[in-house]
Amino acid sequence: MSLFKEKPKTEREKVEERREEVLAKGRKFKYPMQYAKHKVIINTIIVALVALILMVVAGWAMLYKFQDTGNMLYRVTQILPVPVAEVADEKVRYSDYLMIYRSNLETAERQGGQLGEDADADLVKNGYKRAALDLAIEYTYALKLGREMGITVSDAEVDEAFDEHRKVGGVERSAESFMKIINDNFGMSRREYRRMLYLTLMRAKVAEAVDAKAQDLTAQVEKMLQENGGDLMAIAETLGVEVEYQETGQLVDNMNVDGGRSNQAMLLEPGQVSERFLSSNGDGFYYVKLVEKNDSQVNYVSLKINFTEFDVRVAELFDKGEVKEYIDLELKEGENEGDEGGEES
């Protein structure tokens, strides 16, 4: 029994008490919802991270294990600078490798028909992959040397090369019609074609800069030209395998695809020898002597000094193990044996 009589609650206290009961019941619904929302956010983040990891793993497998060369993976490599190889501690872009491979394969299939999925087709594709990877490695090494030597290729130089290519064959095409030809024959966009021009020009500049032997041969040739009155054949006979001598033997189009010799010859008078100029392929120096010409054709003889030092350096990098490839382009053991076994059975 209580010693004190409980004081009756006022109406205000009763209302407050009732109000607190209602709010307490409401909290039972409010806080579990907050907890559930927090859990949903955490689960969403976990699912997103797992999905991202799976995408990365799948992308790695498609690029490095299965060597997918399709459009989707190619576009990914253009956005993400993933490597396909390494040369002298310089990463080789997977996108450059795929750009070269896809354009070469596109050209081959347009000329000879679509390749199938059989073993012979795989051998042909592997050959194109091997050539594309080798060239991508060379381009990357040229970029490395160019950076170290302060050699650059400007946008203006790429524009100039682009314009020269538009005029090949004696027809000056618009940029749009020229790019349609490039896309139809090589499957390349304007951006890709400009990238290829940039890489080619850089390799040419670097190959010229590092080739002291070619520079020495140039000095010999120019001295002999002064002494023999411009007889390129006599110089070729003297220097032998150090140079290449060629004759057209007849009139050819002045826009002939020949490393730029026809264009240079068109600027000369019969019997005149050009100054040394860089091949449009970037693989050596040319001297051209005009035999005859008319408004659109030329007949000439030429002397070429090939660049060799850059190729020697690249070969040495392979020999020294300074080239690391992240994809396997070799035939797997048993592929040929399996084919032969099928024939025997």
Side-chain angles (χ1 to χ4, degrees), residues 196-208:
M196 187 72 83
L197 289 176
Y198 170 78
L199 294 173
T200 302
L201 290 171
M202 179 60 78
R203 186 191 185 286
K205 283 190 172 186
V206 170
E208 177 182 357

Side-chain angles (χ1 to χ4, degrees), residues 17 20-22 56 96 100 108 133 157 170 172 184 199 204-205 216 224 281 298:
E17 184 177 307
E20 185 60 32
E21 289 177 359
V22 172
V56 170
D96 285 343
I100 299 167
L133 184 55
E157 289 175 294
E172 186 168 351
D184 289 344
L199 294 173
K205 283 190 172 186
D216 291 341
M224 296 170 75
N281 299 324
V298 289

Side-chain angles (χ1 to χ4, degrees), residues 225 229-232 268-275 287-290:
L225 283 172
D231 190 341
L232 295 182
L268 305 174
E269 296 300 326
Q272 186 180 4
V273 179
S274 71
E275 295 182 353
Y287 291 91
V288 169
K289 182 176 182 179
L290 179 65

Side-chain angles (χ1 to χ4, degrees), residues 155 213 237 248 262 287 296 330 336:
D155 288 341
K213 181 180 178 181
E237 291 174 348
T248 59
S262 295
Y287 291 91
S296 62
E330 302 298 328
N336 289 339

